[in-house]
Amino acid sequence: MFLRFSPYVLALVSGLLLSLGFAPYDQAWAGWIALVPLAMVPFLFKISWKEALAVGFVFGLAFFGFTFFWLTEVTGAGWVAVVAILALYPALWSLAWLWITKPLPQELTSTYNLSRALLGSCAWVITEWLRGWVLTGFPWNHLGVTQAKMVAIIQVADLGGVLMVSWLVILLNLILALTFLRVHREVTQKQKARSHYDFSLCLVLLALAFGYGARAVFDRPKPVQNLSYLAVQPDLPQDPWGEGVSLQEAVNRMAQLTLTGLSSLSKQDPGIIIWPETPVGQQILTDPIFRNFLEFITEESGQAFLFGTNRIEGEEVYNSVMLYQPGGEEPEVYRKQHLVIMGEYVPLGDAIPWLRKLVPLGIDYSSGKTSNILTLRQPLVYLAPLICFEDTVVSVVRRFMKNQKVDLFVNMTNDGWFRRSPQSRQHINNALFRCVEFRRPMIRVSNNGVTAVINEKGVVWELLQDPITGSIFEAGVMKGFIPIPARVNTVYAHYGDWVVGVSALALGYFYLRTRKSRHKLKN
């Protein structure tokens, strides 16, 4: 009975072990070894393609169920649905891995191990890419994100994005699994012992990636300018299924924090004040107290002011940010493009109205159509605004980067929906890869953790936290200067997810080659 269910035990072990690589644990080592048990399944057990799908699905349930448990802070039913859908992607990889490794050779050679590990890595990044794209995508916690704290390793993201980091991590997992199996065969004299150049080549590749990253980290050119900022984290309570905080309470809390922070700022250092994504489901400009505050901030303090608000435009409702600057000119507006599925919009909501009862808001927002860059005049800095989890959706960021004017990413989010769960720390770990991929710094301003500045190397430069407890969730302000580096056009910015295209070509070539070989055997 145990042998019959052992493949699922290995899948479960891999899923739980991989969970340690993400917040709140952040154990980078787990990413390099967690998939070894899963990868060994086709070699230890005779499984069918249906069983391969089931094994991968069990792995996905364990991994996604554990790492995304914070979704239960908003909806338990949504957590179950999301986890079940996401588990389909590792199920597809498990099926692909079975196809890649079959038929099993009598001897595991270096050539076989290296070629299969490379192909298995290609299959993995394709499934991760699909997960970030299908049904608008949920590109959180790719395998490469386990290395978010490993600054040298993640620098290769400016070449091939976070998926290139995932490719390196899964490659070592597969090489380790195949090497372990081969050594076991050699020790038990089931095959002759020979040199393992596959393992050596993998280590050389990782060393080259580390060397590239170390050089990038220590390359610190002088910034072209410094931008003064004041970020406000109000820690306003959010109630997904109730009314939540009132507009007046929200304005008062954020205004008081802003005025406290302004007491040490000078008109001699013009910069920007940033509030988070709107914490209330109303148009903040309708509040008379806010309008008076807005006039004071822009005219008396000499600071630009960027804040989040809902905007009703005709019959459309947008999740937006607005930039006001001294001088009384018309504000610049950005409307969120990538909406949260089952949060800001309900698929088939018009055709099946009862679906809207399953989500807190019960209405559909409209999606913005343009990636308009905001221009800060004093000093001259071009901002790419990213609302909510748009900083984790690389396709949204790349649309901004088509215009090389971008100097700084600004993410305004309301992670308060998920209270003090690991969600906020997972959010910033995913977001920091955008800084590396495009070599731009980012300031993140949240209602409730994590408010921070990330430099163009993916390093958290400044972090708002309680000086005594170290908590990242308390109300407060963060202020200082952001070094703005010279603009560069990275390989990734120019070519995007080319790693996926190369992976697809490799698997396609393998398919044609194996098909041709089987055709010859039949004849």
Side-chain angles (χ1 to χ4, degrees):
M1 183 65 70
F2 175 76
L3 288 176
R4 182 180 177 185
F5 289 99
S6 290
Y8 303 102
V9 172
L10 292 179
L12 184 63
V13 169
S14 277
L16 295 178
L17 188 57
L18 184 57
S19 301
L20 298 179
F22 299 90
Y25 308 106
D26 289 324
Q27 299 299 306
W29 58 266
W32 298 102
I33 66 170
L35 292 162
V36 171
L38 180 65
M40 294 171 64
V41 167
F43 299 90
L44 298 179
F45 308 95
K46 293 182 178 180
I47 59 173
S48 66
W49 67 269
K50 291 182 180 180
E51 290 171 319
L53 283 171
V55 167
F57 191 73
V58 168
F59 162 81
L61 290 178
F63 169 61
F64 292 117
F66 199 75
T67 53
F68 293 144
F69 189 75
W70 43 265
L71 285 169
T72 59
E73 295 283 356
V74 175
T75 167
W79 169 69
V80 172
V82 168
V83 169
I85 293 171
L86 296 181
L88 295 174
Y89 295 98
L92 288 175
W93 178 83
S94 180
L95 178 61
W97 181 236
L98 177 66
W99 165 66
I100 290 168
T101 56
K102 298 294 186 180
L104 296 178
Q106 292 183 347
E107 289 192 1
L108 293 175
T109 64
S110 292
T111 301
Y112 175 88
N113 285 5
L114 184 60
S115 63
R116 269 47 182 185
L118 290 171
L119 290 167
S121 302
C122 291
W124 183 273
V125 299
I126 289 174
T127 58
E128 283 199 337
W129 177 81
L130 287 172
R131 176 160 66 87
W133 176 76
V134 176
L135 294 177
T136 75
F138 191 51
W140 275 55
N141 292 0
H142 286 328
L143 185 57
V145 178
T146 60
Q147 307 306 303
K149 309 291 186 185
M150 302 293 103
V151 181
I153 287 294
I154 67 174
Q155 299 309 308
V156 297
D158 73 347
L159 299 175
V162 66
L163 292 179
M164 175 169 274
V165 184
S166 291
W167 190 90
L168 289 171
V169 176
I170 184 65
L171 179 64
L172 181 61
N173 274 272
L174 300 182
I175 286 290
L176 285 175
L178 292 166
T179 298
F180 179 82
L181 291 166
R182 184 179 173 187
V183 168
H184 180 264
R185 287 188 177 188
E186 292 172 346
V187 169
T188 57
Q189 298 183 344
K190 292 181 179 179
Q191 68 177 67
K192 293 181 179 180
R194 294 186 176 89
S195 60
H196 292 226
Y197 73 78
D198 54 329
F199 185 73
S200 300
L201 286 176
C202 180
L203 293 182
V204 169
L205 183 60
L206 292 176
L208 289 173
F210 184 85
Y212 176 87
R215 180 179 179 181
V217 169
F218 288 109
D219 180 20
R220 295 289 297 166
K222 185 178 180 181
V224 295
Q225 63 180 320
N226 292 297
L227 173 65
S228 170
Y229 70 91
L230 172 64
V232 177
Q233 178 171 291
D235 186 27
L236 292 164
Q238 303 293 286
D239 182 2
W241 298 95
E243 295 183 359
V245 67
S246 68
L247 175 60
Q248 185 177 14
E249 181 183 353
V251 169
N252 286 340
R253 174 86 65 91
M254 292 188 288
Q256 289 173 6
L257 288 169
T258 304
L259 293 174
T260 300
L262 277 174
S263 62
S264 60
L265 292 183
S266 169
K267 284 189 177 181
Q268 304 303 318
D269 293 317
I272 188 169
I273 298 167
I274 309 174
W275 284 7
E277 176 188 14
T278 178
V280 293
Q282 302 175 52
Q283 296 190 92
I284 197 170
L285 284 168
T286 61
D287 184 69
I289 296 177
F290 176 77
R291 290 198 300 271
N292 292 334
F293 175 78
L294 175 63
E295 182 179 353
F296 168 79
I297 287 296
T298 54
E299 299 305 325
E300 298 298 324
S301 72
Q303 308 290 318
F305 185 26
L306 184 64
F307 60 91
T309 179
N310 282 343
R311 280 174 59 87
I312 300 175
E313 302 177 17
E315 297 182 354
E316 308 289 335
V317 181
Y318 294 96
N319 186 352
S320 308
V321 297
M322 302 182 71
L323 175 64
Y324 278 80
Q325 302 187 70
E329 296 182 10
E330 286 295 313
E332 296 183 51
V333 181
Y334 168 71
R335 301 162 184 84
K336 186 180 180 185
Q337 300 177 75
H338 197 98
L339 302 179
V340 180
I341 188 170
M342 299 303 287
E344 292 172 315
Y345 83 99
V346 179
L348 303 176
D350 292 331
I352 313 175
W354 62 265
L355 285 176
R356 290 202 170 96
K357 296 181 180 180
L358 300 178
V359 297
L361 297 178
I363 63 170
D364 284 348
Y365 281 77
S366 296
S367 175
K369 301 300 186 292
T370 58
S371 302
N372 49 304
I373 296 170
L374 306 182
T375 304
L376 187 64
R377 294 196 306 269
Q378 200 64 334
L380 182 61
V381 177
Y382 295 98
L383 313 176
L386 304 165
I387 302 176
C388 191
F389 79 121
E390 285 185 325
D391 59 345
T392 69
V393 184
V394 71
S395 59
V396 173
V397 182
R398 280 199 75 214
R399 286 197 290 270
F400 279 104
M401 295 307 296
K402 288 180 179 179
N403 184 336
Q404 286 301 307
K405 276 186 172 181
V406 173
D407 294 309
L408 174 69
F409 298 137
V410 181
N411 174 234
M412 304 161 68
T413 187
N414 182 10
D415 288 340
W417 293 108
F418 304 100
R419 300 180 176 88
R420 303 194 173 201
S421 70
Q423 181 270 348
S424 57
R425 280 161 286 189
Q426 289 182 16
H427 191 170
I428 190 172
N429 285 348
N430 282 270
L432 64 83
F433 279 88
R434 306 296 84 76
C435 299
V436 182
E437 289 162 350
F438 302 103
R439 295 301 182 196
R440 299 295 194 277
M442 177 188 295
I443 179 168
R444 302 185 72 253
V445 184
S446 177
N447 172 36
N448 173 0
V450 181
T451 295
V453 173
I454 309 169
N455 72 9
E456 71 277 12
K457 310 296 183 182
V459 177
V460 178
W461 194 263
E462 296 288 345
L463 179 68
L464 177 61
Q465 60 185 100
D466 187 279
I468 299 176
T469 66
S471 172
I472 59 173
F473 299 107
E474 311 304 328
V477 296
M478 182 179 71
K479 52 190 175 182
F481 291 88
I482 303 175
I484 306 296
R487 301 172 195 151
V488 296
N489 187 20
T490 65
V491 172
Y492 184 75
H494 192 69
Y495 294 104
D497 289 320
W498 60 267
V499 175
V500 178
V502 171
S503 296
L505 288 174
L507 289 172
Y509 174 76
F510 178 70
Y511 169 75
L512 293 175
R513 185 177 177 181
T514 53
R515 184 180 179 183
K516 185 177 180 180
S517 298
R518 290 171 184 172
H519 181 72
K520 286 183 178 180
L521 289 174
K522 288 181 180 180
N523 294 335

